[in-house]
Amino acid sequence: MDRSPYLRRRLRDCVGREGRLFAYSSGNMGKALLFSGADLTILFLLTDLLGQSPTSAGSLMLVAVLGDLVFDLLAAKLVIRLRRTGRGYRWMVAAAAMPCGAAFALLYALPALGVRDLWIVATGLLLFRGAYAVVDVPHNALMARVTSDSRSRGRVSGYRLFFSTISSLAIAIILTPMVQTAGRTGDFGRLAMAGGIACILFTGTMVLSALASDSGTTGPADLTGWDDGIAIPLRDPLILALALLAFITGFAIPMFSRMLLYIGTYVIERPDLVKMLLLGLTIGQFLGVLAWTSITGRFSKATLLAAGHAVCIIGIMLFALCLAWPNALIACTLLIGFGFASIFMLPWGLLADAVDVVAWRYHRRFETGLFAFYLVVVKASGAASTALIGWTLGWLGYAPDTIQPASVQAGMLVMGLGVPIFGSFCAIGLMRANDISHARHARLLTALAYRSKRALRQQRRLNSVPIRFPG
């Protein structure tokens, strides 16, 4: 019997499935270009380009925290309502892409427009974060739909970070040096042009991701628990663990990247080295994406996430020991970036699996609600982290373009190195207590499918019973 047609069909199906997952993940390139670019440079832009005091900049980021709490929840409610009218995640992503990109371009055009008023800057920042929420919530929730297999979700997490890392490379090579140069020379025109180009790239990648992730999307495993909502069961131990993980991922770990501009400029006193450090971080992430993704099928996502935090701890400790040897710091950032790959890619796969766990426990599939909740915690804690940096620098007496006293340098190192190390230790303990293995998730999907079929049979029996009226 000739098995070649069967093998060709299997190969074609496999390539098509992975291609669809890869196409969906490409949206992260556009998202990372905007959000990570703003995350790494916004505080520096506020203090050194727009002339805001560190305290004012920190207070503005606190406003962004409150904005994120509202924007993500409103976006989730909007997504749920539109899905009930037949317009799903993909429609929402494509429709909101252009307004979000335009808000980012406006934010980076403010220095060129000569805008210095704090209320205008705050309005621009809130417009950007609000528009971004409308794209981010449905795109992330779509991850639970493109595949239901735990191992495939691990690969999707890797694909997503692969595209995010491409954007990180552009941020390290182009955007961050451009912000630094604009701070020294006042050349704001190129910064505004970069914002416009980022807007076009973001819109293109998000529309492509929405269109390409259409065919073959996987429905929920439990059809009886389809009802979505944002009123998730907050007392559930798994959801509490996800909240703590989101806080660590948004608040503690990115402090290393956020402080690199300040540490490189004022502690190491090598502003030219910042570009190489960010580049080393990005290359380490590239290597990490390949390595972690290749073993997601063999080990649980929680185990690999804990391992990534351990690598991060080692890398940051080595970074602290090598401050006197600036060139050696590049090798340290390679190792840190390798750990970051696991830290930033795997929580999304865990979150998609958690949707199924919660559906089993509560007979409702809080798909949009759980992703919105996680995003609220991650982005709000990230903005809180940036606000804390601004307040701490202002309290310590930081002044741009001057030699910083020892107290300011020590504060920069504690925030940039000490906080991420502490956060990683906490995450390791958290993952050891909350591990959803591939085998456990597969059994869960089987149980959800069985429960769905049983409920469907019961519904059919009820519908087949004739209705008898009295008399």
Side-chain angles (χ1 to χ4, degrees):
M1 179 178 177
D2 185 12
R3 294 177 57 88
S4 57
Y6 170 76
L7 293 175
R8 284 197 299 268
R9 186 169 61 255
R10 286 289 303 273
L11 179 61
R12 185 170 60 251
D13 292 343
C14 181
V15 171
R17 182 174 61 252
E18 290 302 312
R20 178 169 51 84
L21 300 180
F22 207 67
Y24 156 73
S25 304
S26 67
N28 272 56
M29 183 167 67
K31 291 200 305 179
L33 184 63
L34 263 61
F35 198 80
S36 297
D39 192 46
L40 285 176
T41 62
I42 191 65
L43 191 64
F44 195 84
L45 184 145
L46 291 171
T47 56
D48 289 43
L49 274 68
L50 295 176
Q52 303 295 329
S53 69
T55 304
S56 297
S59 300
L60 182 56
M61 295 313 299
L62 178 61
V63 174
V65 171
L66 299 177
D68 283 337
L69 293 174
V70 176
F71 295 144
D72 284 331
L73 294 177
L74 287 178
K77 288 182 72 69
L78 180 61
V79 168
I80 293 170
R81 178 169 295 183
L82 288 173
R83 285 183 66 199
R84 289 170 181 165
T85 64
R87 293 176 175 175
Y89 299 135
R90 297 170 51 252
W91 185 91
M92 191 79 169
V93 170
M98 177 57 77
C100 179
F104 179 86
L106 174 64
L107 191 62
Y108 276 77
L110 292 179
L113 295 174
V115 174
R116 296 293 185 273
D117 296 332
L118 185 61
W119 72 270
I120 298 179
V121 177
T123 301
L125 182 61
L126 290 175
L127 280 174
F128 165 63
R129 297 182 84 96
Y132 185 84
V134 179
V135 175
D136 200 28
V137 169
H139 183 263
N140 282 302
L142 188 59
M143 183 176 179
R145 292 266 155 179
V146 294
T147 180
S148 60
D149 179 67
S150 178
R151 290 178 174 84
S152 296
R153 285 171 174 172
R155 294 198 303 276
V156 173
S157 299
Y159 298 159
R160 282 164 53 104
L161 188 63
F162 171 79
F163 283 106
S164 297
T165 308
I166 292 176
S167 291
S168 298
L169 191 62
I171 293 168
I173 296 176
I174 301 173
L175 186 60
T176 303
M178 195 174 291
V179 172
Q180 283 183 297
T181 303
R184 292 194 306 266
T185 65
D187 183 11
F188 302 138
R190 293 179 61 194
L191 190 62
M193 185 184 301
I197 294 172
C199 167
I200 295 171
L201 291 175
F202 170 79
T203 304
T205 55
M206 295 314 302
V207 172
L208 174 64
S209 174
L211 294 176
S213 58
D214 176 28
S215 59
T217 50
T218 303
D222 185 9
L223 298 177
T224 65
W226 185 86
D227 266 353
D228 207 339
I230 61 173
I232 60 175
L234 294 174
R235 295 182 179 180
D236 186 271
L238 179 59
I239 292 178
L240 290 175
L242 287 172
L244 290 173
L245 179 64
F247 179 79
I248 293 168
T249 306
F251 183 89
I253 305 304
M255 268 206 179
F256 177 79
S257 303
R258 292 180 183 125
M259 292 305 301
L260 268 184
L261 269 172
Y262 294 97
I263 292 174
T265 303
Y266 299 112
V267 178
I268 305 172
E269 297 183 351
R270 286 279 305 274
D272 58 301
L273 190 64
V274 173
K275 176 180 177 180
M276 296 304 299
L277 294 178
L278 289 173
L279 186 61
L281 203 65
T282 305
I283 293 173
Q285 283 189 353
F286 264 123
L287 298 175
V289 167
L290 299 176
W292 298 115
T293 304
S294 66
I295 57 177
T296 51
R298 297 178 57 191
F299 302 96
S300 72
K301 291 184 282 291
T303 299
L304 295 179
L305 182 57
H309 278 284
V311 172
C312 180
I313 291 170
I314 296 171
I316 294 178
M317 285 182 173
L318 291 174
F319 188 96
L321 295 173
C322 295
L323 288 174
W325 300 280
N327 292 328
L329 295 178
I330 299 174
C332 297
T333 56
L334 283 169
L335 184 60
I336 296 169
F338 191 91
F340 276 7
S342 169
I343 291 170
F344 293 129
M345 74 180 244
L346 291 172
W348 299 105
L350 285 171
L351 187 60
D353 289 349
V355 171
D356 299 320
V357 175
V358 173
W360 172 257
R361 291 175 180 173
Y362 299 96
H363 295 260
R364 288 189 65 184
R365 192 172 177 81
F366 294 96
E367 200 169 82
T368 307
L370 276 172
F371 276 93
F373 168 73
Y374 187 85
L375 285 168
V376 164
V377 179
V378 168
K379 290 196 281 190
S381 60
S385 173
T386 306
L388 178 64
I389 291 172
W391 289 337
T392 304
L393 290 177
W395 176 68
L396 291 173
Y398 166 78
D401 298 323
T402 61
I403 297 175
Q404 305 300 326
S407 59
V408 175
Q409 294 185 22
M412 291 177 176
L413 291 175
V414 169
M415 288 187 290
L417 307 183
V419 172
I421 288 175
F422 179 76
S424 286
F425 273 118
C426 293
I428 290 173
L430 197 62
M431 287 302 96
R432 291 188 63 184
N434 295 275
D435 191 355
I436 304 174
S437 65
H438 297 313
R440 179 186 171 192
H441 185 260
R443 291 194 299 269
L444 176 65
L445 290 182
T446 302
L448 285 169
Y450 173 77
R451 188 171 69 182
S452 178
K453 292 177 182 177
R454 186 179 62 183
L456 189 59
R457 286 196 301 268
Q458 291 174 349
Q459 186 65 38
R460 286 174 177 171
R461 282 198 298 267
L462 289 174
N463 292 338
S464 65
V465 175
I467 301 176
R468 297 184 179 182
F469 296 96

